[in-house]
Amino acid sequence: KASIKSFKDLRIASLLPSTTDICIALGLQNNVVGITHECDFPLPDDSSKSSPFKHHFVICQAAIQNDPAATIAKKPLTLTVSHIDPSKATQAEIDLAVKTSLHDGLSLYNLNDDALSQAQPDIILTQSLCEVCAVAKDEVDDKVSCRLPPNQCQVLSLEPESLEEVTETFVRIADACGVPERGEELRRSFWEGAERVLLATKKSGIVKTKEALPKLLFLEWVDPPFNGGHWIPDMVEKWSGCRTATSWVTNTCKSVQLSWQQIYDADPDLVVIACCGFDLKRNEKDALAARELLKPLRAFKQGRIYAADGNLYFARPGPALREGIAILSRCAYDGDKDVVNE
């Protein structure tokens, strides 16, 4: 295990979009020297009010107030490469590529050896939770031992499965980077925001009983359909003021492939399509492409099929999940202005 230096001199390599988001929210973007090809990273000119970094992260105010330079960052090196371009493939083609990769024991992502050597990180943030989401943990360990000086770099692997565990990663990363108080502040701010959303749904006059809570179907893939796994059930059932339409899916944290007949039988009040890794525009496109399959649903007939940015607000276990909770509630309680405005 490498010894961690003062956070002001710390060099962080983030191999997940979610950990990049967390570093930004902790005010550590100046320390990030390497990111993935999928990460969003704010440049100095991202300070405008229209920047997504002003609204979709729960910013750790203590970090910004105590270190004004934390709001300015240079573009880090890109440390990963992908062997598939989702923007040029259909959902069915991506699904086949992922399943083939898993069957053959091959990764869809790899580290750029030269970029890693150039970055010279003191700490690498990665995961071993999802085999299709990022560079494999074993490859990270191998490249660190081959490309970096002995004992220089600590590898911190994060595997949150619940929403509670997601917020614990805020604290773990902050502790590892020498700013523990920022992690606690970020976790506190996240739960305060989630509580406000839940309180707004409880005050709503739209739902009178627990049994009448909106039955929400969350789709993190459409072709073939998959429900939301890991932290998504917590977001739906515990914090958005809804109940899940896939209540028969139990004893698993991972998302589960569904049949369209199962979806028809579930008869959800609303459907939120927020496919993993896709932005709002792509999810709108794919929802329209699935129009004929969605037509039999009561939710379709009542105009309650919604598309959302799955990449920013649901797929990444980071601070933006709070906004994801609010999006679910806005869709479910779209007739209540207090919920919609939260």
Side-chain angles (χ1 to χ4, degrees), residues 77 79 112-121 143 146-148 152:
L77 295 169
L79 303 180
N112 182 322
D113 296 10
D114 292 337
L116 179 65
S117 298
Q118 185 179 348
Q120 289 292 305
K143 294 294 174 66
C146 293
R147 286 282 178 165
L148 299 175
Q152 171 182 308

Side-chain angles (χ1 to χ4, degrees), residues 189 191-201 239 322 338 342:
S189 297
W191 288 123
E192 284 183 356
E195 288 279 4
R196 288 197 302 272
V197 176
L198 183 60
L199 181 60
T201 66
W239 295 99
R322 184 275 178 195
D338 291 331
E342 177 50 55

Side-chain angles (χ1 to χ4, degrees), residues 4-23:
I4 296 299
K5 59 182 75 173
S6 166
F7 84 87
K8 290 185 181 296
D9 300 317
L10 190 66
R11 298 175 66 83
I12 303 170
S14 173
L15 300 185
L16 301 165
S18 60
T19 53
T20 299
D21 293 353
I22 292 169
C23 287

Side-chain angles (χ1 to χ4, degrees), residues 6 9 13 15-16 20 22 27 58 91 105 117 138 142 145 157 169-170 184 187 202-203 208 221 241 263 319:
S6 166
D9 300 317
L15 300 185
L16 301 165
T20 299
I22 292 169
V58 181
Q91 288 202 19
S117 298
D138 289 344
D142 290 343
S145 62
S157 183
T169 66
F170 305 166
E184 295 291 351
R187 179 166 62 177
K202 288 182 176 180
K203 290 181 176 179
K208 302 297 183 183
W221 209 249
I263 292 174

Side-chain angles (χ1 to χ4, degrees), residues 10-217:
L10 190 66
R11 298 175 66 83
I12 303 170
S14 173
L15 300 185
L16 301 165
S18 60
T19 53
T20 299
D21 293 353
I22 292 169
C23 287
I24 293 169
L26 293 171
L28 293 172
Q29 57 263 50
N30 264 351
N31 300 89
V32 178
V33 295
I35 56 175
T36 79
H37 61 284
E38 296 178 314
C39 291
D40 300 302
F41 198 84
L43 295 173
D45 59 1
D46 281 330
S47 59
S48 68
K49 291 183 179 179
S50 61
S51 168
F53 298 96
K54 285 293 182 183
H55 69 263
H56 81 254
F57 296 136
V58 181
I59 299 297
C60 179
Q61 294 300 325
I64 303 303
Q65 291 168 4
N66 295 337
D67 184 9
T71 59
I72 302 173
K74 296 179 180 179
K75 181 74 172 181
L77 295 169
T78 299
L79 303 180
T80 62
V81 292
S82 174
H83 302 296
I84 185 173
D85 184 354
S87 67
K88 297 180 179 179
T90 66
Q91 288 202 19
E93 290 169 341
I94 296 169
D95 179 69
L96 178 60
V98 168
K99 289 176 178 174
T100 301
S101 175
L102 290 174
H103 180 269
D104 296 340
L106 301 174
S107 176
L108 293 172
Y109 306 98
N110 289 111
L111 275 175
N112 182 322
D113 296 10
D114 292 337
L116 179 65
S117 298
Q118 185 179 348
Q120 289 292 305
D122 301 304
I123 183 169
I124 295 177
L125 306 176
T126 187
Q127 62 96 40
S128 56
L129 178 68
C130 178
E131 296 171 317
V132 301
C133 293
V135 176
K137 172 66 163 49
D138 289 344
E139 181 181 351
V140 175
D141 291 336
D142 290 343
K143 294 294 174 66
V144 167
S145 62
C146 293
R147 286 282 178 165
L148 299 175
N151 300 319
Q152 171 182 308
C153 185
Q154 173 186 350
V155 177
L156 181 61
S157 183
L158 306 160
E159 292 86 29
E161 293 189 338
S162 67
L163 199 59
E164 180 72 34
E165 290 174 357
V166 170
T167 63
E168 288 174 5
T169 66
F170 305 166
V171 177
R172 288 187 63 195
I173 291 174
D175 285 348
C177 294
V179 287
E181 71 289 345
R182 298 187 187 183
E184 295 291 351
E185 167 66 13
L186 184 57
R187 179 166 62 177
R188 182 191 63 77
S189 297
F190 181 95
W191 288 123
E192 284 183 356
E195 288 279 4
R196 288 197 302 272
V197 176
L198 183 60
L199 181 60
T201 66
K202 288 182 176 180
K203 290 181 176 179
S204 173
I206 293 177
V207 176
K208 302 297 183 183
T209 66
K210 184 176 181 180
E211 292 72 23
L213 289 174
K215 185 163 60 171
L216 187 153
L217 174 64

